Amino acid sequence: MTTSESDKWTLYGQTFQSRLLIGSALYPSPAIMREAITASGAEIVTVSLRRQSPEQGGGESFWRQLKEMNKTLLPNTAGCHSVKEAVTLGQMSRELFETDWLKLEVVGDDYNLQPDPFGTVEAAEKLVKLGFKVFPYCTDDLVLCQRLRDVGCQVLMPWGSPIGTGRGLMNPYNLQTIRERIPELPLIVDAGIGKPSHAVQALELGYDGILLNTAIAQAGNPVMMAGAFRDAVNAGRQAALAGAMPERQTASPSTPTLGMPFWHQQ
């Protein structure tokens, strides 16, 4: 059994094999969305309630296709600008999808879609008290992540860079600090991932998974890119488990005695 097959992880009591969470928006067609999700190996798919207007019957075919894929759905509160909006949309999602899982997003700035740190903590606290299992999308701020943990979030999702930019991990130091200071919770890099190499880097830092959408949906070949990300996440995870060699300031020859074959050395 390979590492990727045996190395499972748990989110709010549910166990998964894939460490890639994938979005369901922006694909060229519903058929390509289905193929890409399948190729990614992802078991958790995020869905946006606000953009599909399910309460008005919108996106009925879209929802049906997702349900037929038998994936774990993670509804989100994308587009919400206030605590009240996010809590209301969360309650709607629980009723419609019969799940208490919720990806919490509270927009603080419309230019770069940065999450509102104050609103996110307040909304998370309210939703936890209402029985939700909250997956908060936040910036790579250690203190913010600690506050979200303290109000009851059992999973944290700091960004790599602003959503949809594809710039990768802009502040690896911040992300590594969060990992080191909050070792007890699953951590997922959410937003800004643009290339499979970014996913490898996130897993190598010790993050448990990544969540992305645009990098696959807007690729030239979404299905092929989904497979590339599947392999990248597995490679990054295996590298983290294996343990990388220490970095050095000076060169160190791989053959200690230069010019002499290793089998001649004493």
Side-chain angles (χ1 to χ4, degrees):
M1 183 176 291
T2 66
T3 302
S4 60
E5 292 172 338
S6 61
D7 179 37
K8 297 183 179 181
W9 62 319
T10 301
L11 299 171
Y12 284 110
Q14 292 185 231
T15 302
F16 301 94
Q17 182 170 300
S18 172
R19 293 172 178 270
L20 174 60
L21 290 73
I22 190 171
S24 55
L26 305 176
Y27 292 89
S29 71
I32 291 178
M33 176 197 73
R34 289 173 61 93
E35 289 183 49
I37 291 174
T38 299
S40 74
E43 299 166 277
I44 301 172
V45 179
T46 63
V47 292
S48 173
L49 297 176
R50 179 177 292 277
R51 291 170 184 165
Q52 295 295 330
S53 301
E55 74 282 3
Q56 299 174 8
E60 183 177 346
S61 174
F62 174 80
W63 301 123
R64 185 171 61 251
Q65 290 189 55
L66 281 179
K67 290 177 182 178
E68 289 173 354
M69 296 189 73
N70 196 32
K71 302 294 184 181
T72 297
L73 296 184
L74 177 59
N76 66 47
T77 62
C80 290
H81 288 73
S82 70
V83 172
K84 182 178 180 180
E85 276 186 295
V87 172
T88 299
L89 205 57
Q91 292 172 317
M92 185 183 300
S93 76
R94 181 156 61 182
E95 181 179 346
L96 287 169
F97 298 108
E98 299 181 347
T99 179
D100 51 12
W101 277 31
L102 187 70
K103 177 185 172 183
L104 174 61
E105 300 182 38
V106 181
V107 178
D109 180 82
D110 285 324
Y111 179 74
N112 67 357
L113 301 179
Q114 179 173 327
D116 176 351
F118 309 103
T120 300
V121 171
E122 183 181 348
E125 185 171 18
K126 291 180 181 294
L127 287 163
V128 168
K129 289 179 179 178
L130 289 171
F132 284 89
K133 295 178 173 62
V134 181
F135 292 68
Y137 166 54
C138 60
T139 55
D140 54 351
D141 181 282
L142 171 63
V143 176
L144 170 58
C145 288
Q146 290 173 325
R147 295 292 183 270
L148 288 166
R149 175 199 60 191
D150 294 345
V151 300
C153 295
Q154 296 179 30
V155 178
L156 302 176
M157 302 203 302
W159 71 2
S161 52
I163 190 168
T165 63
R167 298 177 65 87
L169 311 187
M170 294 186 65
N171 294 295
Y173 172 80
N174 289 5
L175 291 170
Q176 186 171 15
T177 299
I178 294 169
R179 175 72 286 176
E180 292 173 352
R181 296 290 300 278
I182 307 180
E184 73 276 14
L185 296 185
L187 299 181
I188 300 169
V189 172
D190 178 13
I193 298 292
K195 303 174 183 177
S197 57
H198 299 157
V200 173
Q201 185 182 12
L203 273 292
E204 286 177 338
L205 285 176
Y207 275 69
D208 300 282
I210 63 168
L211 192 159
L212 57 82
N213 187 173
T214 309
I216 291 177
Q218 297 289 285
N221 186 326
V223 178
M224 184 181 293
M225 186 62 77
F229 270 105
R230 176 199 62 216
D231 295 341
V233 168
N234 289 337
R237 176 61 179 173
Q238 291 182 50
L241 293 175
M245 63 168 284
E247 294 184 6
R248 301 187 178 98
Q249 293 296 323
T250 58
S252 176
S254 56
T255 303
T257 305
L258 297 179
M260 181 181 293
F262 71 89
W263 56 83
H264 287 171
Q265 298 171 25
Q266 298 298 323

